[in-house]
Amino acid sequence: MALTEREEVQPRNDTPVSPWSTPDPRAILGSRVGTNSYRISHDLIGPSLTCKPVPTNAWWQNLVLEQGDQPVVMTPYMVKCLDSAVVVCAQTPLVHETYVAAIWHDDWRVHIDGCSRHSVTTFDPLSATVEYTGETMAARVPLVRGAAFVTVMFDTPVQLSLSTVHAVIGVDQCSGEGTAVARLNSGTTWLVSCDSPVELQQSGVSGLVSSGPVGAVRLALVNDECPQALAALLLAKDSIPVGGTIDVTDEASFTLRWITHGSGPSDHLLMFALPHHQQSLTDACWVDDVGKYWTSMGHVRAVLGSQWQWTETIEPLGFSGQSELSEEDKAVLRELVQADASTLPEDCGVLPPDPYFFGKAVARAMRIALIADEVGDTASCNLAVERAKSWLVPWLDGTNPDYLLYDDEWKGVVSSRGLTDPAADFGQGRYNDHHFHYGYFIYAAAALAKLCPEWIEERREAIDLLARDYCDPSNADEYFPFMRCFDFYEGHSVASGLFAFGDSRNQESTSEAINAYYAAYLYAQATGRQSIARYTRAILQLEARSSRVYWHLGDLASDVYPETFARGRAVVGILWSSKADFATFFGANPEFIYGIQFLPYTPAMTLLLKRQWVADIWPKFLEQVADGSATESWREIINLAYAVVDKQVAKDRVSKVTEHDDGNSASNSYYWIATLK
């Protein structure tokens, strides 16, 4: 396990997808370039990484934010990297009626005395490696998603020193030198495995030391409820994951490949799969002798082998709804789109000044244009198109007050206000919610590419910058990080950017994440980039399925969360790395918590809102939430969900609405209902 023997892991994916485009953003934006006020910490990020785009929304982001001492969630373990120790925590639940969280406790502290600093030196879509350096010692910690063990490797053997916040009540040596089982007064049992023939001995009440030097140590929680768990872990202890790659095919097949190290064969590699993996992995070798481990995203299940594969089922989806409009519906929609288009302001100055709400406004205008085009109202279509074009020009040219620019620090497009003010534009300058914000822009661009392709072609490089920012599928683009927001292990996006949280990463609105990849898919299709279209379509389908597993209670899975939490609600409002919360960042009203998971209503919402689930939760929760809504606009958002169950009832419930969400319109609500099967 010597440090110098470790295989190098490439920091990006190996999927052969063409980039959106590759020009230097500075050549497109000119003087609109700046340096983020939140600087990259060269103490926490290795020097070899800063010449490339550094992720801003990765699962391991806490390692490089502030002091780098907040936890990251490997699954099933949580880990803190401190200057002189690696601290390991097995997730245990704190269950409340409105949240489920993993409690942090210092189960084991691996002391790395003699090191003065630590930094992330390697990353890839499935791992991050932290290196510890000092005058007398160096160590490496490969943090790999789903790993059954937490591993610390030393460059030169040292005497191992472990401590725990609990009391050690027994240490039993296993067959084979260098391995022991430690029992703690917390009721947990741990396997401690070293690469050297040493004896592990108790030191004081809460310590463990080795009788001689070791080159590496691995720690794993043992499930005491399973008699064969220890034997299964012992079989896997010498197969060490140190990184991984991902591959996405044109047929929406996903492959996760784990890079291994150590004396054990790769087919002895033991990893843990989340609930959405458990539903879909093909030819998996499940190791149920290990038992299931609790995490805040449900129980994980052990699987043997260094490669996982599954295929997403692609549902039909395009610009139009599920079914064709009847002549009667077309007649109604012609009246509605004429009224909606006529209210689109000519004056850009009255539009929202920030990228999120402006994005919603311009996407709304292009929804009106698409509907008008479909029902044959050329005048309303042209009016909406012209309005959207005139609104977008200042944003593309940089003449609007909160103009967009290229951040040469973290390699992304941010708002000028956000570049220096972390609170501006919902944290936009710190890379919060980029897929939400730019997803609306790209949806509008996709619709324009369909209806007015020559206009988009003239501005394609500038528009591409926004797609490259949040949905860069290629290794060939050196100016933006690969798939900034998407987590390939958890199967969904991460909205939080350069903010350190004790609960680590989070995402609130699954529906807006779906809208982002739907927009990218449509934009790629409309501009003739078929490899990107197939790639983003696969990502979109996985995002939708994972959203139904982890945000929709009782949809694709009924046992992800404890009953105390699950019985009183039908959605998770914010999913953190170590917490599921019935809440939003902007208010506690139930219509906010449900509604933010449903908007915007486009044909892509049929991937998320399924008839059986909505039928189940309507009488229990949704009907009451809709009727109790304080505003018409949120009431309409909730009522529109019921259209997948009963179109006529939904139509009746929204027919008298006069106030719509700022991303919705009367014509869009009617179209959503009318085109459902």
Side-chain angles (χ1 to χ4, degrees), residues 257-268:
R257 296 184 181 91
W258 313 101
I259 298 171
T260 60
H261 172 75
S263 59
S266 61
D267 60 359
H268 282 191

Side-chain angles (χ1 to χ4, degrees), residues 287-496:
V287 188
D288 291 329
D289 286 346
V290 174
K292 291 189 175 183
Y293 288 44
W294 185 87
T295 77
S296 61
M297 292 181 66
H299 285 88
V300 292
R301 187 181 180 192
V303 61
L304 205 61
S306 59
Q307 180 170 301
W308 295 2
Q309 193 278 328
W310 76 91
T311 301
E312 294 297 320
T313 301
I314 298 298
E315 301 174 50
L317 185 65
F319 279 100
S320 300
Q322 286 183 322
S323 60
E324 291 187 9
L325 292 164
S326 68
E327 291 304 317
E328 179 183 354
D329 286 332
K330 286 182 180 179
V332 173
L333 279 167
R334 279 191 285 270
E335 292 186 12
L336 292 175
V337 293
Q338 184 177 12
D340 286 339
S342 68
T343 64
L344 298 173
E346 184 176 2
D347 180 10
C348 296
V350 302
L351 295 171
D354 67 283
Y356 175 66
F357 285 111
F358 172 81
K360 291 184 71 174
V362 74
R364 174 182 180 271
M366 288 311 301
R367 281 295 300 145
I368 293 168
L370 285 170
I371 295 167
D373 178 64
E374 191 167 337
V375 301
D377 184 348
T378 303
S380 295
C381 177
N382 290 343
L383 176 59
V385 164
E386 291 306 312
R387 290 287 187 266
K389 286 159 57 176
S390 68
W391 298 353
L392 279 169
V393 165
W395 285 85
L396 297 177
D397 291 348
T399 57
N400 61 306
D402 193 14
Y403 59 89
L404 301 177
L405 50 74
Y406 183 69
D407 171 19
D408 61 8
E409 182 76 359
W410 292 92
K411 306 296 188 289
V413 176
V414 301
S415 68
S416 51
R417 289 178 58 214
L419 192 72
T420 56
D421 181 358
D425 304 333
F426 304 100
Q428 222 266 0
R430 296 284 183 91
Y431 294 89
N432 275 7
D433 302 347
H434 272 214
H435 56 326
F436 299 163
H437 296 193
Y438 297 149
Y440 285 112
F441 279 76
I442 295 300
Y443 179 84
L448 282 166
K450 180 178 187 293
L451 299 174
C452 195
E454 68 285 349
W455 191 87
I456 286 293
E457 189 59 35
E458 294 173 1
R459 297 160 177 81
R460 196 168 86 169
E461 285 189 344
I463 295 168
D464 279 358
L465 292 177
L466 305 183
R468 291 165 70 186
D469 178 89
Y470 77 86
C471 187
D472 181 354
S474 175
N475 297 340
D477 191 344
E478 62 183 284
Y479 299 105
F480 295 91
F482 167 67
M483 294 300 290
R484 183 187 302 280
C485 301
F486 197 74
D487 187 313
F488 282 89
Y489 178 75
E490 294 189 1
H492 63 78
S493 295
V494 172
S496 53

